[in-house]
Every structure is written in C-alpha cells, then in structure tokens.
Amino acid sequence: MKTKILHIALITSLMMSCQSQKSWKTDIYETSASGNQLTKIIAGKPVENSIKIKLNPEQKFQKITGFGGAFTESSAYLLNQLSKANREKVLQLYFGEDGANYSLTRTTIASCDFSLKHYTYAPVADDKELKHFSVQEDMNDLVPMIKEAQKISKNGFKILASPWTSPPWMKDNNAWINGKLLPQYNETFALYFSKYLTEYKKLGIPIWGITVINEPHGNGGNWESMLFTPKEMTDFVENFLGPKLEKDGYGNVKIFGYDQNRSELKNWVDEMYRSEKSSKYFAGTAIHWYDSTYKIFGDELQYAHQKNPSKHLIQTEACIDGDIPKWKDDSWYWSEEATDWGFDWAKEEEKYLHPKYVPVFRYAGDIIGCLNNQVDGWIDWNMVLDKNGGPNWFKNWCGAPILVDPETDEVYVTPLYYTMAHFSKFIRPEAVRIGFENPDKELQVTAAKNPDGSIAVVVFNPSEQAKNIEISFENQNISTTINAKALQTVHLTF
C-alpha cells in the first residue's frame, strides 16, 4: 500500500514539474518610426547587458474592460461615402480578428461637435413624457456603422454612450451650449436615457454603459454642452437617473460619472462616492486626457481608484486635437510637431503642460501610464475622419487613427492605428494586469494575463537608441531588440 501511495505521489510530482516547465510560444510585434507597422519580428539571442524585465503574474491589479474608439456621426457619414470595399476594409481593421479587434467603444446620445448638425431625440418642447422621442436621426449613418461592426466582431464589443447635452428646452438657457438642467426636468432627462436604451435595444444594439454628460465643466462655450457640479450630477444620479433605470429594467446598464479631464478627479469621486446610497448607482468614473500633452496625472488616478477600488476607471476620449491631421505622412506622427488646444489657449501658468509632442508617443505613453495607474479601459475618439479632421459642424478639427478621402476613395491608416492595436489586439477583456520589474528608466512597460492564460507585454521605447531586452517568466527568457522610437508587444501563449 505504501509503495502504491509513493508511486502516485511521484507521478503527481512529475506532472506538476512538467506543467511548471511548459514551453511558451513567443510572438513579437513592432511598430516603429523606422517603418514597422505591427510587424512580426523574430526573437533574438541573449545579449550581454540586456535590460532584464521580470514578469510577476502573482502580483495582480485591475481587470481590463477593453480598448477601442468611438462611433460618431462624422465617422459613420464618411464610411457611407466610401466604396463598399473600403468601408469593409476600415471596419475589418477595427473589429476583425486580424485587425485591432476593438472590444470597448463609445457613441453619442444625439449630436456633438462631430455631428453634421445639431439634433436631439426629443425636439418637442415641454414634452415631459417624451411622446415624440425618436432616434431617427441616427438611422442613416450611425446605426448602420454599429450594426456592420457587430457583424464583423467575433467576440462582440461593449458600447458606452454619452450625451453632450439634454434637449435645449430642458435647460435654463434653452440653448445647445452651456446652461444647466432645470429641476422640473430631472425626471424627464432620466426618462430620456431610458427611452434611448429601449430604442437601441429594439435595433439590436445593447448599450453596456452611459455617462451622465460629456464634459460637465463645459468646453469653453463652443459646441453642445451642459454644466453640472459634482454635487448636482451625484444628486441627479442618486435621486433620478439610477432609480429610473432600475425601475425600467436597465439596472444592469452601468452609469459613469464625471467624463472630463483627470486633474479634477478628486473633487468628483469624493462626491460620487460620498455615501453608500450614491455609490450604489455609479459603476465608475469616466476621464479624458486633455489636461496635458505629457502628464498622466497618476496621483489623481490612484486616488480615484483607492476611493472606491470596486469601481471602473475608464478613459473615454482622447485625440490629436490641435492640428489638421497630416495625410499620408507617417513621419509626422513620430515627430515632435503636434500641438493641442492648450498650446495657444491655456492660461499662462498652465502652458507648461501643453508643449509640442510626438503623437505616437502621447498615445503609447498615455495608455501604458493609465494601465499602470488602475485604469481598466481606454477609448480613442473618432475612428474615422477626413483629410481636414472633420466633418465637424463647429470646424473643431481633430485627428483619427484612420483618415479617408471620400472624393478619391482613399484610406490612410496612420501610425496611431497600429499604436492602438498593440493593446486592443493582445490585451483582451477580463485580462488582469500583472506586476513586473523594469530597471530601465526610459522604457515604459505594462503587462497583462488574458483569460485564456496568454500574456501580453507591451514595451515602449521613446529613446533614440535601440535597446536589447530580456523578458523572464517562469522557466523562459525571451530576448528581443526594440528599435529606437518603437512600440513592441510580446505575446506569450502555450
């Protein structure tokens, strides 16, 4: 009997040893200023004095919700101007398994600056019961784009929807821009969300989450907006929006507060999570990146996470917002030439936050910095824009990862697309960010373990020199050389 027990123990020990010695398959992809575009490269041989990055899968952080971009009327309208083949190409690039495989997206509830005109789903004034509510304005462009993306996406994607304003007649200034929600329309605005969720559900488009309003501080009085203080928004969610969605069967739809720049996070999460009753209805906080062209605001992100660690922290908007995008000029996206709104318009004491910057560096650095500071989702702004950075009724030109020229039926896939794909393609929903050691101060690194057991390590080298790296994990060492001004994803599977 003792011999049999020892035999079983020996077999078990050998099996465990074999499992710990399993061989991992390594795929390495690079995007670089030298011309790589998510190009598969071969792992190198060990080099003396390599930078040793040690993974620690036992150290676990936030669960990842996803990565992606926004469905806007501007993007959808442009896709409708392209040939069928190019329209399909763009959507495959974003949602196909061989493309970026976006998993988390955003869309607008009625019009925004990246719409062709002002519109609302409730155009009849004082229609408190919203008997005239209609999403008909979305049916020509926006809805078809989302539906086609759904058909392409094998694993599906989440949609986070945001209004830029309530219908103007609900506001104290009866205007599209600025103004506050009148107290007598609190219930009606909550109903507005419920009606929207119902109409989109009928169309076969489930909405995963909503933000209460885009940019509650306003946008300088330029395009659709509505103002809230932290207390006003929290009161609205606690007393009206949360209970209404719960009552109408949408209690599973996630409500996100804030939805603006990171520097103000403390004031907002302090109010949102002021009590158990208010916290109940907030699934998390939405943030934007426009406070600075280089600063991550890590302290603010960490504060928001620690305030309520069970809640989401999702980046919902980012774009190159100070220049008309460069057409078929990859080098520009790797050069310190871009500006943002703050380069010209920031207060004198804040101008230091808005120097010229390298577009790819800003995207790669921000996504890595966000992930390493507890952010669980990162959403780009428009998926598609034209050569002018529009169409946009306000002429508020911006960049996008894919640019098109409807007149010549051309598509330009910018380096920003490949930058996004380094994350969205390899770090999948429900992945868990894991720990690592990185001794090099120039390299920026993040890592995550996917639900299928695979591991993605993203390494960004903004320096002017190539660097030799050795990534160690379990019984394996992976050697690679990352080019100067380059982004690499090392994907480990077994």
Side-chain angles (χ1 to χ4, degrees):
M1 186 67 178
K2 286 183 179 179
T3 304
K4 188 175 181 181
I5 293 171
L6 287 169
H7 184 61
I8 292 170
L10 180 61
I11 291 172
T12 303
S13 176
L14 285 169
M15 287 176 65
M16 290 178 68
S17 176
C18 287
Q19 285 177 355
S20 67
Q21 295 296 315
K22 65 190 174 190
S23 180
W24 290 77
K25 179 189 172 188
T26 304
D27 292 309
I28 305 173
Y29 302 86
E30 183 176 274
T31 295
S32 64
S34 59
N36 284 334
Q37 298 178 327
L38 207 66
T39 303
K40 194 169 184 178
I41 62 173
I42 306 300
K45 294 181 179 179
V47 176
E48 194 175 349
N49 299 322
S50 289
I51 299 160
K52 291 178 169 50
I53 297 171
K54 185 177 180 181
L55 302 185
N56 181 7
E58 301 306 313
Q59 188 179 20
K60 299 176 182 179
F61 298 94
Q62 77 272 28
K63 188 176 286 186
I64 302 300
T65 302
F67 302 88
F71 296 102
T72 61
E73 188 182 25
S74 294
S75 292
Y77 169 80
L78 286 169
L79 286 181
N80 270 343
Q81 311 309 306
L82 299 180
S83 64
K84 184 178 179 182
N86 271 339
R87 175 187 174 89
E88 171 79 8
K89 172 184 175 180
V90 171
L91 289 172
Q92 285 285 353
L93 280 167
Y94 277 126
F95 295 99
E97 274 196 296
D98 293 332
N101 205 4
Y102 275 6
S103 55
L104 179 64
T105 66
R106 190 185 190 209
T107 194
T108 65
I109 298 178
S111 70
C112 68
D113 45 329
F114 281 90
S115 298
L116 305 183
K117 63 179 182 181
H118 295 304
Y119 70 89
T120 177
Y121 302 139
V124 178
D126 210 32
D127 176 17
K128 287 191 172 184
E129 296 179 4
L130 301 185
K131 293 179 180 178
H132 301 279
F133 186 96
S134 172
V135 296
Q136 187 58 42
E137 289 279 0
D138 294 348
M139 298 305 293
N140 290 334
D141 297 309
L142 195 57
V143 167
M145 181 183 178
I146 297 172
K147 296 292 287 182
E148 196 166 337
Q150 286 178 320
K151 290 178 184 177
I152 291 169
S153 177
K154 182 179 178 181
N155 298 312
F157 51 85
K158 295 178 174 68
I159 301 175
L160 185 61
S162 306
W164 265 234
T165 179
S166 73
W169 54 267
M170 295 186 191
K171 295 158 68 175
D172 58 7
N173 65 349
N174 194 26
W176 293 100
I177 297 165
N178 289 336
K180 292 199 172 193
L181 184 67
L182 288 165
Q184 63 262 37
Y185 293 120
N186 277 325
E187 290 183 2
T188 307
F189 191 42
L191 175 62
Y192 188 81
F193 283 94
S194 181
K195 289 267 192 182
Y196 169 78
L197 295 172
T198 297
E199 293 305 308
Y200 264 66
K201 184 179 179 181
K202 288 178 185 176
L203 293 167
I205 302 174
I207 301 298
W208 173 77
I210 56 173
T211 70
V212 182
I213 209 76
N214 176 73
E215 299 183 342
H217 293 308
N219 50 52
N222 292 316
W223 51 86
E224 289 93 332
S225 58
M226 185 164 75
L227 308 178
F228 278 99
T229 65
K231 184 178 187 307
E232 288 166 345
M233 183 180 286
T234 302
D235 287 347
F236 173 69
V237 169
E238 181 179 326
N239 299 316
F240 299 98
L241 182 58
K244 178 61 177 172
L245 296 190
E246 199 170 52
K247 179 183 176 185
D248 290 355
Y250 295 116
N252 63 326
V253 174
K254 299 183 183 298
I255 301 172
F256 288 81
Y258 192 33
D259 210 8
Q260 201 158 357
N261 295 334
R262 301 169 197 166
S263 64
E264 295 291 324
L265 262 173
K266 184 179 187 300
N267 295 333
W268 283 83
V269 295
D270 280 351
E271 195 64 43
M272 289 163 55
Y273 305 136
R274 66 194 179 194
S275 68
E276 190 175 326
K277 189 179 177 186
S278 66
S279 298
K280 170 188 174 182
Y281 290 114
F282 283 110
T285 312
I287 51 173
H288 298 179
W289 80 349
Y290 303 108
D291 269 317
S292 171
T293 63
Y294 68 90
K295 191 174 179 181
I296 304 299
F297 292 92
D299 289 345
E300 287 79 359
L301 294 173
Q302 290 288 349
Y303 182 90
H305 172 72
Q306 293 302 328
K307 187 72 181 180
N308 200 324
S310 67
K311 304 295 186 179
H312 290 279
L313 189 55
I314 292 181
Q315 162 76 27
T316 53
E317 187 181 315
C319 70
I320 307 302
D321 67 321
D323 294 271
I324 292 176
K326 297 300 181 285
W327 177 254
K328 294 189 176 180
D329 181 7
D330 283 8
S331 64
W332 182 83
Y333 295 86
W334 291 98
S335 304
E336 197 172 282
E337 295 295 334
T339 60
D340 74 338
W341 65 270
F343 187 76
D344 294 315
W345 303 110
K347 298 173 185 175
E348 199 59 42
E349 63 271 21
E350 295 176 352
K351 276 191 178 292
Y352 76 97
L353 291 167
H354 303 277
K356 287 191 174 185
Y357 64 94
V358 181
V360 169
F361 286 17
R362 188 177 182 195
Y363 266 72
D366 195 85
I367 298 172
I368 291 172
C370 279
L371 289 175
N372 290 346
N373 283 284
Q374 303 291 350
V375 172
D376 58 281
W378 205 98
I379 308 173
D380 188 32
W381 190 204
N382 298 274
M383 292 187 214
V384 183
L385 290 176
D386 63 23
K387 292 168 70 174
N388 291 320
N392 178 302
W393 70 262
F394 184 72
K395 303 189 185 330
N396 172 37
W397 315 126
C398 291
I402 295 180
L403 303 174
V404 301
D405 185 346
E407 292 185 8
T408 59
D409 193 34
E410 289 181 275
V411 174
Y412 171 38
V413 183
T414 79
L416 299 179
Y417 165 81
Y418 300 104
T419 305
M420 287 293 303
H422 272 275
F423 300 91
S424 62
K425 188 176 180 69
F426 301 104
I427 303 177
R428 303 303 298 160
E430 302 298 307
V432 175
R433 183 170 68 85
I434 60 173
F436 59 87
E437 295 174 13
N438 169 29
D440 190 281
K441 291 183 179 180
E442 287 184 312
L443 285 181
Q444 296 177 39
V445 179
T446 197
K449 186 173 185 178
N450 287 303
D452 65 0
S454 66
I455 290 176
V457 185
V458 186
V459 182
F460 171 45
N461 177 19
S463 78
E464 297 288 343
Q465 291 83 36
K467 291 176 181 278
N468 296 314
I469 301 167
E470 184 179 275
I471 297 173
S472 62
F473 171 62
E474 290 187 352
N475 63 318
Q476 195 160 341
N477 294 321
I478 300 107
S479 296
T480 178
T481 298
I482 184 170
N483 275 307
K485 300 169 74 171
L487 186 66
Q488 270 190 13
T489 298
V490 179
H491 192 218
L492 300 167
T493 56
F494 58 87

